[in-house]
Amino acid sequence: MSDNLEHSFVTQLQENQNIIHKICRLYTNGDDAHKDLFQEITIQLWKAFPKFRGDSKFSTWAYRVALNTAITLYRKTKRSINTIEFEGRQHFLNDVEYDYEEEEQLKLMYKAVYQLNDIEKALIFMYLEDKDYQEISETLGISEVNARVKMNRIKGKLKKILNPLGV
Amino acid sequence: MKELDLLKKDWQKSDNSFEQVSKIEIYKMIHKKSSSIVKWILIISILEVLLWTCVSAYYDSDEYLKKIKHVELIAYFKVLNYFNYAVILIFIYLFYKNYIRISTTASTKQLMQDILKTRKTVQYYVWYNLAMLVFGLIIGFIIAFAYNPEMDALKNQINGNSKVMAITIAILSIFSIALFGLLWLFYRVLYGILLRRLYANYKELKKIDL
């Protein structure tokens, strides 16, 4: 029985691991930190797995647990995320063809997102994952209205970071 | 917001850019906690042996035996010492084996069994060390009373007076119990914490097993 449970966990996690990778990408800088957070999230998911009854999709459940782990871990260590090496992130952009201006814009955008706080990152993450406000509110445990308000504030904040003079 | 849409598009394309973690690696991750505890047990046991070796370097039992003119006992002490080191090395080897086994196990059932086994090994190790202490104390007292000429005065007094005998026994007992307690406490703190954590892991695994 237990081996079955373990097998089912490992299989599903393996299939859905990009969720965790993407969270790690937002919350960490550098390969080591990425791996550490990935492992921590995996352990937390495994701990919580017995309570996962399958009434939601594995991925929906994983979003919640993984984001909670990233947020609480982030709070505990109080890392500063302000200095990020963008050169190291370029490989995310490589396989896509777009003009130079777009590439520059993307870089600035990633830079701006990294300056958000942990909760804001969680919201932006859900937004980037193309989740609707209902799912965002369920995953983060806030009301739908609150999620909308927060999201608007984040957009404002990003604009300000991109264009501090308001030109 | 135009930039945000751009980001979203790029974000969703990034799925293939992550180095994929294999199933085996995930198995290892969820067993990692136990294996790191067992690794600490191994490290601490080695440090402990080094500590005792350093302590014994300061105290030369050969000198003592020469002083009381019973050089023939040195050989016995050597044998005892080698025996002790051999046993401890066996324990360290067992800890090492436990560590390797736990860090490579890919099944919960096996892991639970390994955790219980490791706990047993540590318990035997602690009991062996405590038994060795008691044995050493008894040998020490016997040698002191039977062979050490400095003890003759005390021996004469004990023979003549039962009160002195009672006091001597009481002092020796208190001394022994205190030493035993101290060492027991030392192990309790050193390995107790690790064993409790290991057991907590075991209980967690058991919950999953139900």
Side-chain angles (χ1 to χ4, degrees), chain A residues 1-3 5-7 9-11 13-14 17-18 21-22 25-26 34 38-39 42-43 46-47 50 92-93 96 102 105-106 109-110 113 124-125 127-130 155 158-159 162, chain B residues 1-24 26-33 106-110 112 204-205 207-210:
Chain A
M1 174 63 204
S2 98
D3 284 353
L5 192 80
E6 193 173 70
H7 180 75
F9 174 77
V10 171
T11 308
L13 188 84
Q14 216 262 338
Q17 62 174 285
N18 279 333
H21 281 305
K22 283 191 264 191
R25 184 182 168 192
L26 262 194
H34 184 114
F38 188 96
Q39 182 164 338
T42 303
I43 291 168
W46 172 236
K47 269 193 191 167
F92 291 122
L93 318 170
V96 196
E102 263 193 6
Q105 258 180 344
L106 260 178
M109 203 53 201
Y110 273 115
V113 167
I124 268 291
F125 170 74
Y127 174 84
L128 292 176
E129 288 290 291
D130 209 19
K155 281 181 187 169
L158 285 174
K159 258 183 209 158
L162 288 176
Chain B
M1 200 178 168
K2 183 167 80 53
E3 294 93 335
L4 205 54
D5 291 335
L6 192 67
L7 183 68
K8 197 173 183 174
K9 234 168 58 194
D10 182 67
W11 182 264
Q12 283 170 3
K13 271 184 231 143
S14 71
D15 260 17
N16 304 320
S17 67
F18 297 107
E19 204 181 303
Q20 295 296 289
V21 175
S22 71
K23 281 188 187 176
I24 301 287
I26 295 172
Y27 272 119
K28 277 189 185 157
M29 278 179 200
I30 59 183
H31 293 153
K32 176 109 183 184
K33 239 183 165 177
S107 107
T108 312
K109 272 225 170 72
Q110 189 58 44
M112 283 165 73
E204 237 165 59
L205 289 168
K207 259 189 263 160
I208 295 165
D209 202 37
L210 286 175

Side-chain angles (χ1 to χ4, degrees), chain B residues 172-190:
Chain B
L172 287 181
S173 311
I174 290 170
F175 174 72
S176 308
I177 290 169
L179 213 60
F180 184 85
L182 223 66
L183 195 68
W184 182 80
L185 200 73
F186 173 74
Y187 283 121
R188 191 102 206 123
V189 172
L190 208 60

Side-chain angles (χ1 to χ4, degrees), chain A residues 115-130:
Chain A
Q115 288 177 33
L116 298 174
N117 71 32
D118 47 350
I119 306 280
E120 292 165 344
K121 275 182 183 168
L123 265 134
I124 268 291
F125 170 74
M126 294 302 282
Y127 174 84
L128 292 176
E129 288 290 291
D130 209 19

Side-chain angles (χ1 to χ4, degrees), chain A:
Chain A
M1 174 63 204
S2 98
D3 284 353
N4 274 341
L5 192 80
E6 193 173 70
H7 180 75
S8 130
F9 174 77
V10 171
T11 308
Q12 292 186 79
L13 188 84
Q14 216 262 338
E15 283 163 5
N16 290 287
Q17 62 174 285
N18 279 333
I19 296 173
I20 307 176
H21 281 305
K22 283 191 264 191
I23 292 174
C24 292
R25 184 182 168 192
L26 262 194
Y27 282 89
T28 64
N29 46 358
D31 274 359
D32 284 343
H34 184 114
K35 276 181 196 150
D36 280 355
L37 185 58
F38 188 96
Q39 182 164 338
E40 189 58 39
I41 289 174
T42 303
I43 291 168
Q44 294 308 322
L45 281 167
W46 172 236
K47 269 193 191 167
F49 192 61
K51 280 175 237 144
F52 170 61
R53 290 269 170 255
D55 38 83
S56 58
K57 269 191 348 199
F58 181 86
S59 59
T60 314
W61 169 79
Y63 274 120
R64 192 168 55 236
V65 178
L67 277 175
N68 275 334
T69 308
I71 290 168
T72 48
L73 204 74
Y74 177 81
R75 286 209 168 139
K76 245 188 260 168
T77 53
K78 281 188 186 144
R79 275 170 290 195
S80 74
I81 303 279
N82 292 331
T83 48
I84 288 123
E85 291 199 19
F86 289 94
E87 276 60 44
R89 305 241 166 223
Q90 280 212 0
H91 63 276
F92 291 122
L93 318 170
N94 277 344
D95 48 334
V96 196
E97 282 180 33
Y98 35 63
D99 58 79
Y100 209 70
E101 200 188 335
E102 263 193 6
E103 194 174 332
E104 280 304 305
Q105 258 180 344
L106 260 178
K107 268 195 209 171
L108 286 174
M109 203 53 201
Y110 273 115
K111 199 174 176 177
V113 167
Y114 281 114
Q115 288 177 33
L116 298 174
N117 71 32
D118 47 350
I119 306 280
E120 292 165 344
K121 275 182 183 168
L123 265 134
I124 268 291
F125 170 74
M126 294 302 282
Y127 174 84
L128 292 176
E129 288 290 291
D130 209 19
K131 303 295 175 200
D132 57 31
Y133 280 108
Q134 196 205 333
E135 202 169 344
I136 294 178
S137 78
E138 274 169 17
T139 306
L140 300 180
I142 53 177
S143 74
E144 238 180 284
V145 179
N146 197 352
R148 269 175 212 280
V149 171
K150 276 210 165 86
M151 195 59 215
N152 277 330
R153 263 191 224 143
I154 293 167
K155 281 181 187 169
K157 195 169 171 182
L158 285 174
K159 258 183 209 158
K160 218 173 188 175
I161 295 171
L162 288 176
N163 195 353
L165 299 174
V167 187

